[in-house]
């Protein structure tokens, strides 16, 4: 199966009210303990895959996740594993044979110096889980996780809200997410529990810049497919860098600059520049929405440039409602149908060829 999930960091000031709101709507509480496995040289992490055994209440579940189409879309396969709650069952990668995610696991293990899998980190959380359905039929699973990740004697607190699309129109998922950002003070993070645990295992405390990889599309690919791929290629590092900056702790007086900050700050500016170039290629869409995105991208690029040497100010920009809502609206467009790119699809062939060449020149698309 595939998973389309939006994850948000819940600030301490919002946690209690969110918890009470979920409980008031009938959320169920379940304790979870997850054990994450990888090779000694962390081949699964390099391939954006994760393999875990998790105790959910009194039942063990083995889950494999692998990279999907975009930053918030993943391949997922779960298997219920028999066993007593007090004894962790043996991990068996073969349980995922034949699933869509299995190819990602096989590629990772083939890339490992030694394919043996060992536990590297774990999480313990209390989850409040609620099934939602809006008037348009969108089905969403909301899960508030509070607890911690731990590895190598280190701990990291977890306060996350996950919104997973379970069925119906996708628009409802993003509308709920935008409401959470606007009224709850939450911000989106694409840093997974597996990634946070791995950083604990390695003792990494700095920020990490993500590479930009231009989209790939066949020469005969329709405009909608090309633009969707370019938008995903822009959003993936942009979401990663905004997550890094938003999640960093405020600096204390006299503290040194966080390692990696300069590289991530520069990368965020480059991401916003590429976003501006892509939005110019959508200028045939006369909707006020696209014009608003262009104005927001320019304003945010200016803020990123002004704050590139000021970690606290740039972190506040990354958490800002303006950037968070923009990112969610763009993700909604990236996961929408071809009609979301109808204006580009209606361009004369010669005009579209020039537009595609501009995408290549801007580094958004491989030639």
């Amino acid at each position: 199966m595939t998973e389309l999930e939006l994850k948000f960091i819940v600030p301490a000031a919002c946690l209690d009210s969110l918890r009470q709101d979920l409980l008031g709507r009938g959320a169920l509480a379940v304790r979870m303990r997850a054990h994450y496995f990888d090779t000694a040289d962390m081949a699964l992490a390099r391939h954006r895959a994760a393999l875990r055994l998790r105790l959910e209440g009194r039942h063990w579940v083995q889950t494999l996740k692998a990279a999907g189409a975009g930053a918030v879309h993943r391949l997922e396969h779960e298997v219920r594993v028999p066993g007593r709650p007090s004894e962790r069952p043996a991990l068996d990668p073969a349980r995922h044979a034949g699933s869509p995610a299995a190819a990602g696991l096989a590629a990772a293990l083939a890339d490992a110096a030694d394919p043996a899998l060992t536990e590297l980190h774990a999480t313990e959380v209390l989850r409040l889980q609620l099934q939602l359905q809006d008037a348009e039929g969108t089905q969403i699973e909301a899960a508030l996780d509070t607890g911690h990740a731990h590895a190598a004697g280190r701990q990291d607190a977890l306060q996350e809200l996950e919104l997973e699309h379970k069925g119906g129109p996708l628009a409802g998922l993003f509308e709920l997410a935008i409401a959470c950002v606007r009224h709850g003070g939450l911000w989106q993070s694409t840093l997974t529990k597996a990634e946070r645990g791995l950083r604990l295992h390695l003792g990494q405390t700095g920020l990490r810049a993500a590479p930009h990889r231009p989209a790939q599309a066949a020469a005969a690919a329709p405009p909608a497919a090309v633009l969707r791929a370019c938008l995903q290629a822009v959003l993936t590092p942009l979401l990663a860098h905004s997550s890094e900056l938003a999640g960093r702790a405020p600096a204390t007086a006299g503290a040194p600059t966080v390692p990696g900050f300069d590289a991530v700050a520069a990368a965020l500016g480059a991401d916003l520049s590429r976003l501006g170039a892509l939005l110019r290629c959508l200028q045939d869409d006369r909707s006020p929405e696209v014009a608003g995105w262009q104005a927001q991208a320019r304003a945010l690029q200016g803020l990123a440039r002004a704050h590139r040497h000021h970690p606290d100010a740039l972190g506040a920009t990354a958490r800002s409602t303006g950037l968070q809502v923009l990112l969610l609206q763009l993700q909604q467009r990236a996961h929408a149908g071809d009609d979301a790119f109808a204006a580009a699809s209606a361009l004369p062939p010669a005009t579209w060829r020039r537009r595609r060449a501009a995408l290549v020149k801007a580094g958004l698309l491989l030639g």
Side-chain angles (χ1 to χ4, degrees):
M1 62 176 288
T2 61
E3 172 189 68
L4 181 58
E5 179 181 272
L6 305 175
K7 187 178 69 176
F8 300 87
I9 303 301
V10 182
C14 306
L15 182 58
D16 189 59
S17 61
L18 179 57
R19 182 188 290 118
Q20 294 306 318
D21 182 61
L22 290 172
L23 288 171
R25 295 171 183 265
L28 300 177
V30 58
R31 291 199 175 275
M32 296 184 170
R33 185 174 76 247
H35 305 265
Y36 290 83
F37 298 80
D38 206 332
T39 62
D41 58 351
M42 292 157 286
L44 271 67
R46 290 200 305 275
H47 284 257
R48 293 186 59 219
L51 184 60
R52 74 176 183 227
L53 274 167
R54 185 165 72 181
L55 180 63
E56 303 178 0
R58 297 186 58 80
H59 303 286
W60 287 98
V61 178
Q62 182 175 303
T63 302
L64 170 65
K65 295 190 179 188
V72 298
H73 178 272
R74 305 190 76 184
L75 303 177
E76 181 182 57
H77 184 244
E78 293 186 340
V79 181
R80 177 74 69 87
V81 181
R84 291 183 292 181
S86 58
E87 296 181 13
R88 192 191 77 197
L91 182 77
D92 184 2
R95 293 183 177 119
H96 305 291
S99 70
L105 177 60
L109 294 177
D111 188 40
D114 180 351
L117 293 162
T118 58
E119 181 180 346
L120 297 186
H121 50 91
T123 62
E124 294 185 34
V125 302
L126 175 64
R127 168 167 289 186
L128 292 182
Q129 191 167 292
L130 180 65
Q131 305 300 321
L132 300 169
Q133 181 167 320
D134 66 14
E136 302 302 320
T138 301
Q139 300 164 33
I140 300 168
E141 181 178 276
L144 174 63
D145 288 344
T146 54
H148 62 271
H150 56 88
R154 292 178 281 265
Q155 280 196 178
D156 187 19
L158 298 172
Q159 294 180 180
E160 302 173 345
L161 176 69
E162 297 177 355
L163 300 177
E164 183 177 354
H165 179 252
K166 290 294 189 179
L170 267 176
L173 173 68
F174 290 98
E175 289 167 4
L176 177 58
I178 289 171
C180 289
V181 166
R182 283 181 167 153
H183 305 296
L186 283 61
W187 65 85
Q188 188 177 6
S189 175
T190 55
L191 191 62
T192 66
K193 289 183 178 70
E195 290 168 325
R196 292 179 68 170
L198 185 61
R199 292 189 186 189
L200 278 179
H201 171 75
L202 296 172
Q204 295 177 341
T205 57
L207 307 184
R208 298 179 63 182
H212 165 70
R213 295 186 174 90
Q216 300 183 52
V226 174
L227 291 171
R228 184 181 294 106
C230 288
L231 185 51
Q232 291 283 18
V234 169
L235 281 172
T236 296
L238 178 52
L239 284 163
H241 295 138
S242 65
S243 299
E244 293 279 346
L245 292 164
R248 65 169 297 279
T252 56
T257 301
V258 176
F261 170 79
D262 290 340
V264 173
L268 179 69
D271 294 334
L272 291 168
S273 178
R274 282 188 285 266
L275 175 60
L278 177 58
L279 291 175
R280 286 192 293 275
C281 288
L282 293 175
Q283 62 190 357
D284 297 291
D285 188 333
R286 304 296 182 183
S287 71
E289 185 178 47
V290 172
W293 291 343
Q294 289 177 307
Q296 284 181 283
R298 286 193 296 269
L300 289 164
Q301 190 175 1
L303 286 173
R305 188 181 303 113
H307 298 325
R308 66 186 183 276
H309 300 305
H310 305 282
D312 288 351
L314 193 54
T317 298
R319 292 187 296 272
S320 68
T321 300
L323 178 57
Q324 291 296 317
V325 171
L326 175 62
L327 291 173
L328 287 166
Q329 290 173 336
L330 291 170
Q331 289 170 82
Q332 182 174 355
R333 176 65 70 97
H335 290 281
D338 289 354
D339 58 338
F341 302 93
S345 299
L347 291 173
T351 303
W352 168 244
R353 285 194 295 272
R354 290 194 296 271
R355 191 63 48 81
R356 180 175 172 130
L359 292 170
V360 173
K361 184 176 181 180
L364 302 172
L365 180 68
L366 290 176

